Amino acid sequence: MGDFTSALGMLYWTIMIMVTITSVLGNGFIVFVNGDLWFQNRKMVLCDILLSALSTSRCLSQFVVLMNNGLQFVFSENHLNSYRHNVLFLVWFFSEIVSIWCNTWLNVFYCVKVTNFLSRPFLWVKTRINVLTLKLLGMSIVVSLIFSLPSAISYYDQKKWCNRTGRQTLNASQSKVCKDINTVFLLPQLCVFTINFIMNITASILLLISLWRHTRNLRNSGIGVKDLNTRGHVNVIKSLICYVFFYLLYYAGMIIYANHVTKLSEIAIIISDTLSSLFSLSHSIILILTNPKLRNWCAYMLNFRWRAS
């Protein structure tokens, strides 16, 4: 998005800067709180490890997107074929892989911990989820990166050829040689996003079903709607529905991103980047509001600042 002087460009940059800064503050707050608790206790529970890794990778991803767009504004089209762009893309790609897998396994972790389905495979996983989660997270990231290696090798081989020829040949058999790095990595990105989408939606639906059943049982047992347990479950259901809504928007943004890569649409860039940043922001807010430690810290800091002012 290089045309900053246009009305569309100014709107894009205004939205991106506001959303990115707020998202970094939200995710940075999660990292700060968990880091402070780790420093005090010298240990961190699995949930906090996943939250910290997720928030750190999201902060890095947001910084890279903003930096890349800024460099594209300064250097225009020359930036897209530069070494800077390639390095930033690889850093973004790695941080995005880490963040989406952390997000997925965090969602699966919550689902397995909270839900109660009477089946042997599920009960087996439930008793071992604490041990399995980090191993599965590490394996998922490693496998995703290994799956992306052919694309990386293909791109840099093509890059060498393009540097030697200095131009793109018109020969039909060689017309795909000088590809943009976004195009080359499109297939592994879509595969990882799709796998995570299926896992996330499945875990969210199972969690919603379990919470809804439990809430219904509480109401049928004669406990009023104003009961704290019932209200707590209802609030979690609302938060989960919000998460699913923004996650669907995020996945839609990834599809639009794929369309941008193939058709180079300026509108697609705006929508894709905005939806991605919006999901990072909204999810960090949901995590803070639904996590007692983070919520209490946030309330304490806001109250402290309000009194200080």
Side-chain angles (χ1 to χ4, degrees), residues 59-102:
C59 285
L60 179 60
S61 178
Q62 293 294 304
F63 273 128
V64 170
V65 169
L66 201 60
M67 184 182 300
N68 185 63
N69 288 329
L71 290 173
Q72 187 175 344
F73 163 66
V74 174
F75 297 102
S76 189
E77 294 300 323
N78 294 328
H79 173 65
L80 296 177
N81 298 317
S82 67
Y83 178 75
R84 296 183 305 271
H85 176 67
N86 294 341
V87 171
L88 288 174
F89 176 86
L90 292 176
V91 174
W92 172 84
F93 183 76
F94 174 75
S95 61
E96 198 70 9
I97 291 291
V98 174
S99 68
I100 61 177
W101 277 117
C102 285

Side-chain angles (χ1 to χ4, degrees), residues 47-66:
C47 179
D48 291 342
I49 293 174
L50 292 174
L51 280 173
S52 299
L54 172 62
S55 299
T56 302
S57 57
R58 278 180 173 170
C59 285
L60 179 60
S61 178
Q62 293 294 304
F63 273 128
V64 170
V65 169
L66 201 60

